[in-house]
Amino acid sequence: MICAGCNNEIGAGRFLHCLNAYWHPECFRCHACNLPIADYEFSMSGNYPYHKTCYKDRYHPKCDVCKHFIPTNLAGLIEYRAHPFWNQKYCPTHEHDNTPRCCSCERMEPQDTGYVPLNDGRKLCLECLDSAVMDTSLCQPLYMDIQQFYESLNMKVEQYVPLLLVERQALNEAREGEKNGHYHMPETRGLCLSEEQTISQVLRTPRFGGGQRPMDMITEPYKLIRRCDVTAILILYGLPRLLTGSILAHEMMHAWMRLKGTYLSMSEHECSIQMRGYQPLSQDVEEGICQVMAHMWLDTQLNFESSSSSTGSRADSRAPFDKKLGSFFKHQIESDSSPVYGDGFRAGQLAVRKYGLQRTLEHIQMTGRFPF
């Protein structure tokens, strides 16, 4: 007999017969640790034998939250949950044991990683915190970027629209104060206001003290005066730049259509505001085209990130996560299952790809619907 391990003849003494071959006991080794397999039971992967413990270490998935092996169910099968974008695998129990998620990227918090709690109850992972826009003043350069994006599409917003970063409670209170509007549930993260209100804006970035807890946040009331059909744009504070920008691009489209929908009619004897075009629109059309603009802006940012990374003008450690995060926000828009935001976006994107943005907007202005 020839040993399948060393190809030498097996003489007198002990030998093993398994896998349709004969082995010296010391030649039948685990493919992972390369130590002899002395147990009566072993596991196989392909044509390779493993100790059962080595096989489990290599092939049995571990939970990304608790770091333990994901348990088997009553049928003896490995059952786990997975995030559809991040491929984060975790025990089913973590969906019900109050394990927190990042309010931006939606990843569950590993038990050995501290997420940062924000003042309004949300939690932010450290990677998303790295580019988070924390107060109104820090958001102004991004606001200018969005304005330039609209101007590049020949869609300049002529009137000045205040932009305020706010906490969750202030955003929800402002939403309740609007007479009309439709909002993305379960949580609204941006709002284009038409009513006069007093809003509590986040005025100064909080410092983070022991345990990464925010300290010394300053807010200030801001009185909104109605001078046109848009009084302000509100964005939830503490979100990464790319998410803040995509929300702002969405809300800016609401503002552009409301402001574009009116014009001043003046004569010697009268001065009046007359309506034309974009009002009123069905929810799926208005929210759909706003989501198209958010998606388009993210595309420009990801293309810019790619070109910047190739020239070395951005820190290598940030660029890969920024690109992944931006792709996730695009994925959220593309995979949204709601009939208003999801179906509306897909119908709008199809129209823009087929007819271009300007012809699509002209058709919406004339008919209130997407072209087919």
Side-chain angles (χ1 to χ4, degrees), residues 181-336:
H182 28 86
Y183 314 107
H184 201 178
M185 301 304 286
E187 178 171 67
T188 300
R189 295 189 288 195
L191 193 62
C192 182
L193 291 183
S194 298
E195 305 298 328
E196 292 190 352
Q197 300 189 41
T198 298
I199 304 298
S200 179
Q201 65 168 322
V202 178
L203 189 63
R204 194 175 79 183
T205 304
R207 295 185 299 109
F208 289 92
Q212 292 288 349
R213 292 193 172 275
M215 303 167 57
D216 299 336
M217 171 183 274
I218 294 180
T219 60
E220 178 183 78
Y222 188 105
K223 176 64 177 177
L224 300 176
I225 305 298
R226 184 181 173 93
R227 296 186 176 91
C228 60
D229 279 356
V230 179
T231 55
I233 291 175
L234 308 184
I235 304 291
L236 201 59
Y237 92 101
L239 300 175
R241 179 185 178 276
L242 289 175
L243 179 55
T244 303
S246 66
I247 297 169
L248 180 53
H250 175 109
E251 300 303 332
M252 186 75 81
M253 189 60 184
H254 283 300
W256 185 84
M257 288 190 292
R258 292 179 193 178
L259 297 173
K260 192 74 172 177
T262 63
Y263 69 98
L264 186 64
S265 174
M266 301 185 67
S267 67
E268 184 179 354
H269 304 290
E270 65 176 1
C271 176
S272 63
I273 298 292
Q274 299 184 15
M275 304 303 298
R276 69 176 182 185
Y278 292 98
Q279 299 179 357
L281 292 175
S282 63
Q283 292 188 7
D284 61 319
V285 172
E286 182 167 348
E287 298 297 343
I289 195 63
C290 290
Q291 288 291 75
V292 168
M293 298 302 292
H295 193 271
M296 287 176 61
W297 182 81
L298 284 170
D299 261 339
T300 65
Q301 295 299 296
L302 293 180
N303 290 335
F304 175 76
E305 296 293 350
S306 297
S307 60
S308 298
S309 298
S310 65
T311 57
S313 62
R314 184 173 179 87
D316 292 341
S317 60
R318 282 296 309 163
F321 183 73
D322 281 346
K323 186 173 183 180
K324 186 72 172 177
L325 196 59
S327 298
F328 170 63
F329 298 144
K330 284 182 59 179
H331 166 80
Q332 283 186 305
I333 295 174
E334 295 161 357
S335 61
D336 194 314

Side-chain angles (χ1 to χ4, degrees), residues 62-80:
K62 286 187 177 181
C63 175
D64 291 326
V65 174
C66 65
K67 307 302 181 184
H68 297 147
F69 289 113
I70 295 176
T72 55
N73 58 21
L74 295 177
L77 302 175
I78 298 171
E79 179 182 351
Y80 61 84

